[in-house]
Amino acid sequence: MRMDLVDRGSDVTARLDVVYEKERVTIHPTQYGSGRISGKLRLFLQQGSLFLSWEPNEGADSLSTSSFGVEIEKYRNLYTIKALPLSDVRFIRKHTPTFGSDYIIIVLSSGLAFPPLYFYNGGIRELFATLKQHVFIIRSDDDPNVFLVNDFQDPLQKSLSSLELPGVATVANAMSRQNSLSFTGSVDETRHGADERLGEASSMSQYGSKQKHKPNDPGRDLSIQVLEKFSLVTKFARDTTSSLFRDNSGAHGYGRQQHEYVFDNKASDKYKNQYVTPEKASIPSAPLESDPLPLVWGKQRDCPLSVEEWTAFLDPEGRVMDSKALRKKVFYGGVDHVLRKEVWKFLLGYHEYDSTYAEREYLTAMKRAEYEAIKSQWKSISATQAKRFTKFRERKGLIDKDVVRTDRSVPYYEGDDNQNIVVLRDILLTYSFYNFDLGYCQGMSDFLAPILYVMEDESESFWCFASLMERLGANFNRDQNGMHAQLLALSKLVELLDPPLHNYFRQNDCLNYFFCFRWVLIQFKREFSFDQVMLLWEVLWTHYLSEHFHLYLCVAILKRYRQRIIGEQMDFDILLKFINELSGQINLDRAIQDAEALCTIAGENGASCIPPGTPPSMPIETDGCLYVQEDEVL
């Protein structure tokens, strides 16, 4: 048996010795179970090295509906693994759901991961037995489901411990317990105010000892605090970055040559007068000076959508006559606050653009009744039942802890015994029952708080939030595929739109883009004021130029500060600190203009950088059945 070796440019064709082969190893490119791609997984030896490959079966997958088959085809080449050296693998996480088939997640040294591989016909035991014959593979000391590959001293644990951070022991233990970006344990750290501090090491150690190996630990849900803590683990990040990007650097043609000149040359005299003086931030360490972007600026920001303009968009029965024109208006100017309660329902998908006044009124009544029915499910749980309902008890505790720290500086949520905090909690608890598979993850309260502030109605806030989570829920998946896809796309966009900056990140082992993790996860919620966040989000929700406009916004901000980043030779540590200190210092209007210009110039080449299904893409619904993401049994 022979196969071309994919080894960073080599044209050598060598003898393959297949040591393991398994059919019907399946991926799920979307969160819906009916969309599957089955393939063949192999382990093979070539020139003395062990490689892994996964190739999809030819033709439409028998597990996919015919209407879905065309969409599935888009994913085949994207997720094909031709020849992955096991030397590039950091660890393999084995998941054993309570119901359903076992699956594994392969995490690379870069910190990024491949989609979960499901073994519907068994074969995981044989896979690991084969691996042990050819590479050094051991179980993690902290979690028997994590298998470290080619790891003699567990450098992840070692580099975490060497940082001497408060609570680092708990975080280090937890890192092996989840995939590359998820941890066990909850860390009290700065989240919603500058006055909150990290917990003492002693209390963290005590918490960790109580929670270690606890099934269904609420800390297993995605935690912003711990994810931000991960950003501090810079030694590990620098040591293990970029293998995935190196291997995939030639996988797609982005037509970069036809656009590079736009960025490498000085702006023409025609646009010199359109530049705004770079802002300077009042940060003690150094002023955060930005670079003028040498490209054609986006359109100047417009005034918000007014009541008169909104009325003009509606026909006598209340239908929006030109939804694209409306979205364009909102994109360039936002929405007057008095209209947000009405307009946001359309932007978030709670109301259809072609619905009438009567239809919307009827829908509101029906949805209110449905909300109360869902809410009654958890409201009726007695204290005795709660003692035997671990997942509910844990989620409720996590929500109770989060809501009292969410946007408390905003008058709507400040003060003791604030009833709006109670409503916030009730909506999140209800959502955890509405979408029980996803449940509650830290960061969701950040998305809900502005929606409730605008709607001032519990039921309508819930349904708007639920619609938003349809698009952004993948940000909170435990396997972190949604976040991995967005960070990978961000890397490709920077490579396309700012090659010098991309090369600098590559040379300094920053291609994992973890320093942008918070930007992407909660859509810049911590980078701007509450009012600015509402404006930014309604711009993003229009999907006017791209449904991934937030990624172009990331590129625009990085590009504006490129000269400072490269000029000061920032490594990962300094870059992370610099990015965090940009919070509250970024000119939002200018950033949106820059992102618009970048998105326009990138065009189809930019769109091709973003894998299909990358959040906030709407999942493709086939039979209405969500793929169930079960908790694994430890």
Side-chain angles (χ1 to χ4, degrees), residues 91-111:
F91 65 85
I92 301 174
R93 181 72 157 84
K94 179 172 71 70
H95 294 254
T96 306
T98 306
F99 302 101
S101 301
D102 294 352
Y103 63 97
I104 63 172
I105 295 177
I106 300 172
V107 180
L108 301 177
S109 297
S110 63

Side-chain angles (χ1 to χ4, degrees), residues 100-173:
S101 301
D102 294 352
Y103 63 97
I104 63 172
I105 295 177
I106 300 172
V107 180
L108 301 177
S109 297
S110 63
L112 297 178
F114 286 104
L117 296 169
Y118 291 81
F119 288 71
Y120 286 105
N121 289 338
I124 288 184
R125 184 185 298 274
E126 292 79 4
L127 171 67
F128 280 99
T130 305
L131 286 171
K132 289 179 180 179
Q133 296 175 12
H134 299 282
V135 296
F136 183 76
I137 180 170
I138 59 172
R139 291 179 182 267
S140 167
D141 292 336
D142 300 292
D143 185 350
N145 290 325
V146 171
F147 293 83
L148 304 170
V149 180
N150 299 315
D151 187 287
F152 295 92
Q153 297 180 338
D154 195 356
L156 174 57
Q157 174 78 32
K158 180 179 178 181
S159 55
L160 280 165
S161 302
S162 67
L163 295 179
E164 298 181 353
L165 298 171
V168 71
T170 301
V171 177
N173 291 339

Side-chain angles (χ1 to χ4, degrees), residues 209-475:
S209 63
K210 292 180 180 179
Q211 298 297 322
K212 188 174 182 180
H213 297 305
K214 178 181 178 182
N216 299 320
D217 188 347
R220 294 183 67 81
D221 285 338
L222 183 62
S223 167
I224 289 182
Q225 295 104 304
V226 182
L227 288 169
E228 290 176 346
K229 176 71 72 178
F230 175 73
S231 297
L232 300 176
V233 190
T234 56
K235 292 182 180 179
F236 170 70
R238 286 198 308 273
D239 292 342
T240 61
T241 303
S242 80
S243 65
L244 178 60
F245 299 107
R246 180 185 65 241
D247 293 342
N248 290 339
S249 60
H252 302 283
Y254 300 110
R256 194 169 55 214
Q257 291 79 3
Q258 60 181 304
H259 293 297
E260 284 184 1
Y261 73 92
V262 178
F263 308 105
D264 294 338
N265 297 329
K266 294 183 179 180
S268 65
D269 294 337
K270 178 179 179 181
Y271 299 102
K272 284 183 177 179
N273 295 331
Q274 297 187 35
Y275 294 132
V276 181
T277 303
E279 59 187 343
K280 297 185 179 181
S282 57
I283 292 179
S285 58
L288 297 177
E289 297 180 355
S290 58
D291 306 329
L293 289 181
L295 51 81
V296 178
W297 278 68
K299 181 179 176 181
Q300 294 294 320
R301 301 298 295 161
D302 199 355
C303 57
L305 176 72
S306 66
V307 175
E308 294 77 13
E309 290 173 312
W310 168 242
T311 303
F313 276 109
L314 303 177
D315 70 10
E317 294 184 335
R319 300 182 186 88
V320 176
M321 295 181 289
D322 190 342
S323 61
K324 184 176 181 180
L326 173 63
R327 291 186 292 110
K328 179 179 180 180
K329 172 62 184 177
V330 175
F331 178 85
Y332 284 109
V335 180
D336 191 301
H337 188 69
V338 299
L339 286 173
R340 279 181 171 145
K341 179 178 174 64
E342 190 170 359
V343 177
W344 276 23
K345 296 173 188 176
F346 290 91
L347 297 178
L348 288 168
Y350 176 52
H351 287 325
E352 298 292 337
Y353 286 105
D354 60 354
S355 62
T356 64
Y357 292 124
E359 290 170 341
R360 295 197 288 270
E361 184 177 354
Y362 176 75
L363 175 68
T364 299
M366 294 295 293
K367 287 294 187 181
R368 191 177 305 279
E370 185 179 352
Y371 173 74
E372 292 299 331
I374 302 170
K375 183 178 178 180
S376 67
Q377 294 176 6
W378 66 265
K379 292 286 284 187
S380 63
I381 296 176
S382 66
T384 303
Q385 288 177 305
K387 291 179 181 179
R388 298 177 177 85
F389 197 168
T390 303
K391 179 61 70 175
F392 169 72
R393 196 169 62 249
E394 292 170 345
R395 286 179 176 176
K396 184 177 183 300
L398 192 59
I399 291 171
D400 287 340
K401 183 178 180 180
D402 274 359
V403 295
V404 297
R405 299 182 297 180
T406 302
D407 291 323
R408 295 311 294 272
S409 61
V410 178
Y412 190 77
Y413 294 109
E414 68 182 2
D416 298 331
D417 300 322
N418 189 314
Q419 285 302 304
N420 297 320
I421 296 294
V422 177
V423 176
L424 197 70
R425 182 206 64 178
D426 288 357
I427 294 174
L428 292 171
L429 270 170
T430 305
Y431 182 77
S432 74
F433 270 70
Y434 172 74
N435 189 350
F436 200 83
D437 294 334
L438 183 60
Y440 174 77
C441 304
Q442 290 177 318
M444 288 183 177
S445 61
D446 284 283
F447 282 115
L448 176 59
I451 294 175
L452 177 59
Y453 171 77
V454 168
M455 298 299 161
E456 296 185 295
D457 180 274
E458 186 172 340
S459 172
E460 292 182 345
S461 297
F462 170 83
W463 291 113
C464 287
F465 173 73
S467 295
L468 181 61
M469 285 300 102
E470 283 294 302
R471 291 184 175 275
L472 294 177
N475 281 13

Side-chain angles (χ1 to χ4, degrees), residues 30 49 133 165 182 232 249 300 409 415 439 476 579 583 585 622:
T30 75
S49 298
Q133 296 175 12
L165 298 171
S182 299
L232 300 176
S249 60
Q300 294 294 320
S409 61
F476 303 101
I579 293 297
S583 178
Q585 311 297 330
T622 55

